[in-house]
Amino acid sequence: MVEPTPAVPAAAAEPAARFTGFSLWYGTFQALYGVDLQVEAGRITSLIGPSGCGKSTLLRSVNRINERLGYVRTEGAVAVHGVDVYAAQNALVQVRKQVGMVFQRPNVLPLSIRDNVIFGHRLHSRGAGRTTRADEDAIVEGALRQVLLWDDVKDRLNRRAAGLSLEQQQKLCIARLLPVKPRLLLMDEPCSALDPKGTEAVEELIWELRGEYTILLVTHNMAQARRASESCVFMLLGKMIEHTPTDEMFVTPQRQETADYIEGRYG
Amino acid sequence: MFEATDLNRRDARTQRLVRALFLLMTVLLAAPVLLILGVLLVKGGTMLSWDFLFTEPTNGMTAGGVLPALVGTVWLVAIALLASVPVGVAAAVYLSEYAPDNVLTRVINLAIINLAGVPSIVHALFGLGAFVIFFGFGTSILAASLTLAIMTLPVVIVATREALQAVPHAFREACWNMGATRWQTIWRVVLPNAVSGILTGVILEVSRTAGETAPIMFTGAAFFLPFLPASVFDQTMAMSLHLFVIATQVPDVPEALPYGVALVLIGMVLAMNALSIGLRTWLRQKKKW
Ligand SMILES: Nc1ncnc2c1ncn2[C@@H]1O[C@H](COP(=O)(O)OP(=O)(O)O)[C@@H](O)[C@H]1O
Ligand SMILES: [Mg+2]
């Protein structure tokens, strides 16, 4: 599925996400230690590392979803397309609109398939700028086509989304982000609840979205990182250890820890 | 090679014993309910008729029906619900969806728990002081209902909070991630999915208030008032107080009468419970997950 990566365009001036000296504490437990990382726009960057190393935490710092926990404290900065997401003047809602997230377990809303897809869009087009039913239909179709789900569900858009297979649900979870037009998609082990066939299908979809969206993909599965990403970040114990193009990381890792992990010396 | 050892046999005996003991406890639990219903039906069943429900008491409450008390109880419970549900639901939404985990929140939670522990006679005196005298509602349906409302507030809050917490957290995160505000999340996803739980919880708990006597005794329920209330500032008869009165205060009441009144009162409560179960089933079927 993965063709040799085309020559990567010179890193855009402005990364889609930039962490500078970013640390995070859950209460007194420090989960992230001064992470410096630039996620290039328009590419798929995968985030690997043993479980508990802070991958999810890093991801959840970008859309500030960790904040509901009263005991989380951060230091340093996270910028999305140059704008600090933690800056007081930026509305949380706007940050979340620009940064979509896909979770480990597909979390479709208890609504129909159609309403799931259009949910986000409706939140942001109310009052005067309200979309007509026909436009909504077009948006739903567009999003579902983009996630390769349209042909499966076009005859049952009004059925409940929870009735879909897990693979289809996960695709739906990606589809519903698209109408909101996020600049960055965060995916936290999006395939870990799926069977091998589902995994393959969702990976294919992620690959399809490349270029149009910037994707930061957490995975526990190195084969997946290798297949589905162009750039790869290795984390260990809350620290960013290495960030290199995927092909290089798996062939000539620069750091000993990375090599050990890739060779399976710790899980 | 698979023969039971002594130890196995002893374990099996213990098993049977424990099981029997727990079964016994369960039966003991159900027995009073069945006994109460049985005795009431046997002794008061003959009283039941449409006339009994729809006429006024006569002959110094030794004959006739229960209409004013029945209507009064419906009024009292309905207005109490109207007052306590919006406040209780709003408070529960705040506590479970917005409130940070800080000292103030904990104090409020503690207050709610303690409010639930206040004896009903104390609520009655509070209602008398606050609604009847201070706010000047007089002894009236309004004052009695508000007293009942305050009494039911903690259970409304707890029932609502449980219903809200039963909505999977993943739904909220899904909404936030599309840029929904907290309120949009609550309004579009959390409440619609909690409503069946809220309704059932609230109705189940509140149906008990129909039987409360102390809180309405000083605040709005009348001993004998053989007409229907015209406004919320009137006093009214109520089933619970009526039962107390004819059972203990009025001479020469036929034996079956108090049992009949009790049957009607229990019937009202059971009807409300049945309604809440029906409602829950219906709402569950509409759910999309
Ligand atoms: N809500 C939380 N409260 C306290 N500690 C947490 C919380 N979430 C994660 N952690 C801790 O932070 C560390 C990183 O967790 P996480 O980011 O989930 O790791 P990963 O996704 O790489 O498996 C772990 O040690 C975990 O125990
Ligand atoms: Mg994780």
Side-chain angles (χ1 to χ4, degrees):
Chain A
M1 180 183 77
V2 180
E3 287 128 52
T5 330
V8 180
E14 180 192 77
R18 179 197 289 135
F19 297 81
T20 7
F22 189 77
S23 301
L24 182 144
W25 288 260
Y26 291 110
T28 55
F29 173 75
Q30 185 166 7
L32 295 177
Y33 292 83
V35 172
D36 289 303
L37 174 64
Q38 303 201 0
V39 179
E40 277 169 64
R43 302 178 77 185
I44 305 177
T45 301
S46 64
L47 195 53
I48 59 169
S51 109
C53 70
K55 305 182 295 294
S56 300
T57 304
L58 190 72
L59 222 58
R60 296 162 74 89
S61 303
V62 184
N63 63 357
R64 293 168 61 183
I65 203 99
N66 270 331
E67 265 173 46
R68 75 179 170 86
L69 306 165
Y71 53 92
V72 170
R73 187 166 64 81
T74 63
E75 237 171 50
V78 184
V80 170
H81 287 276
V83 185
D84 182 4
V85 296
Y86 284 87
Q89 74 274 15
N90 292 328
L92 187 55
V93 167
Q94 288 301 329
V95 170
R96 299 224 173 115
K97 211 179 132 180
Q98 303 292 339
V99 182
M101 188 158 194
V102 180
F103 297 82
Q104 208 160 344
R105 284 206 68 81
N107 58 351
V108 296
L109 292 170
L111 304 167
S112 69
I113 296 172
R114 184 180 191 280
D115 287 342
N116 260 281
V117 181
I118 205 68
F119 188 93
H121 178 79
R122 278 197 189 140
L123 291 175
H124 303 292
S125 77
R126 280 168 298 147
R130 219 192 143 120
T131 325
T132 62
R133 176 100 194 170
D135 286 342
E136 278 191 2
D137 286 340
I139 290 170
V140 169
E141 179 171 347
L144 287 173
R145 277 193 191 283
Q146 204 163 6
V147 300
L148 318 174
L149 197 56
W150 176 251
D151 291 327
D152 289 356
V153 302
K154 62 173 185 265
D155 301 322
R156 44 179 172 151
L157 291 176
N158 291 316
R159 298 259 204 88
R160 57 193 194 93
L164 296 172
S165 74
L166 280 180
E167 170 199 330
Q168 292 170 326
Q169 288 188 31
Q170 195 62 298
K171 286 179 171 176
L172 185 61
C173 288
I174 299 175
R176 72 180 173 197
L177 298 173
L178 306 183
V180 184
K181 304 194 171 58
R183 317 259 320 243
L184 173 61
L185 294 179
L186 307 170
M187 305 197 179
D188 194 348
E189 307 197 29
C191 301
S192 64
L194 309 182
D195 59 17
K197 199 181 127 288
T199 303
E200 195 180 320
V202 171
E203 275 177 14
E204 188 183 335
L205 159 61
I206 293 173
W207 199 251
E208 291 284 324
L209 294 174
R210 180 178 52 118
E212 201 170 335
Y213 296 90
T214 307
I215 297 175
L216 184 54
L217 169 76
V218 169
T219 170
H220 198 72
N221 175 337
M222 274 177 292
Q224 181 175 55
R226 210 166 170 173
R227 281 195 304 266
S229 73
E230 298 152 289
S231 167
C232 192
V233 177
F234 173 62
M235 283 182 71
L236 186 63
L237 295 172
K239 297 196 179 81
M240 206 280 281
I241 304 290
E242 179 169 347
H243 180 193
T244 43
T246 306
D247 327 348
E248 282 176 35
M249 178 167 297
F250 286 94
V251 180
T252 51
Q254 291 163 7
R255 299 276 301 260
Q256 187 57 40
E257 298 97 316
T258 317
D260 288 348
Y261 180 68
I262 290 169
E263 283 161 24
R265 261 175 244 163
Y266 28 68
Chain B
M1 90 205 230
F2 292 135
E3 299 88 34
T5 63
D6 278 350
L7 201 60
N8 291 148
R9 274 189 287 274
R10 212 170 71 205
D11 284 350
R13 242 186 348 262
T14 318
Q15 279 273 34
R16 281 196 298 274
L17 211 81
V18 169
R19 208 188 126 120
L21 192 73
F22 285 14
L23 175 66
L24 181 72
M25 295 298 170
T26 313
V27 171
L28 283 181
L29 184 89
V33 182
L34 296 177
L35 269 177
I36 290 174
L37 269 179
V39 168
L40 287 182
L41 270 174
V42 169
K43 298 213 172 186
T46 53
M47 296 298 303
L48 289 189
S49 67
W50 290 120
D51 266 359
F52 188 62
L53 291 181
F54 292 115
T55 58
E56 278 131 32
T58 48
N59 288 348
M61 291 192 274
T62 58
V66 294
L67 182 67
L70 188 73
V71 172
T73 291
V74 171
W75 271 96
L76 289 170
V77 172
I79 295 176
L81 269 179
L82 277 181
S84 70
V85 169
V87 179
V89 169
V93 167
Y94 176 78
L95 286 171
S96 102
E97 305 293 320
Y98 289 96
D101 183 20
N102 60 20
V103 179
L104 179 68
T105 311
R106 272 178 240 152
V107 168
I108 293 176
N109 276 322
L110 210 62
I112 293 168
I113 294 169
N114 282 305
L115 189 61
V118 172
S120 55
I121 188 69
V122 176
H123 279 291
L125 293 174
F126 170 76
L128 178 64
F131 302 123
V132 177
I133 298 168
F134 183 78
F135 287 109
F137 298 150
T139 44
S140 61
I141 294 179
L142 186 61
S145 290
L146 291 179
T147 310
L148 285 175
I150 291 203
M151 219 178 82
T152 53
L153 210 47
V155 291
V156 171
I157 293 176
V158 170
T160 306
R161 202 156 52 166
E162 270 164 17
L164 292 174
Q165 276 159 9
V167 177
H169 195 76
F171 293 172
R172 296 179 178 84
E173 289 194 336
C175 287
W176 297 340
N177 271 295
M178 285 180 271
T181 60
R182 288 215 166 215
W183 172 242
Q184 287 168 333
T185 306
I186 292 167
W187 183 246
R188 290 169 190 239
V189 172
V190 179
L191 279 179
N193 285 291
V195 74
S196 67
I198 296 175
L199 279 178
T200 5
V202 164
I203 298 178
L204 273 179
E205 293 295 342
V206 169
S207 65
R208 295 194 327 213
T209 58
E212 287 292 343
T213 318
I216 58 175
M217 204 150 67
F218 311 142
T219 51
F223 192 85
F224 179 58
L225 199 67
F227 19 74
L228 302 184
S231 87
V232 293
F233 294 104
D234 287 349
Q235 290 190 45
T236 180
M237 290 181 78
M239 290 300 287
S240 54
L241 184 64
H242 183 56
L243 177 57
F244 171 72
V245 166
I246 57 171
T248 61
Q249 312 287 306
V250 180
D252 304 326
V253 173
E255 204 205 340
L257 185 58
Y259 288 102
V261 175
L263 257 183
V264 175
L265 180 55
I266 285 199
M268 290 173 79
V269 174
L270 291 185
M272 272 193 266
N273 289 354
L275 176 75
S276 93
I277 290 166
L279 211 59
R280 180 171 56 190
T281 317
W282 182 67
L283 285 167
R284 283 239 175 105
Q285 279 167 356
K286 287 199 346 180
K287 262 194 190 167
K288 301 236 173 187
W289 50 288

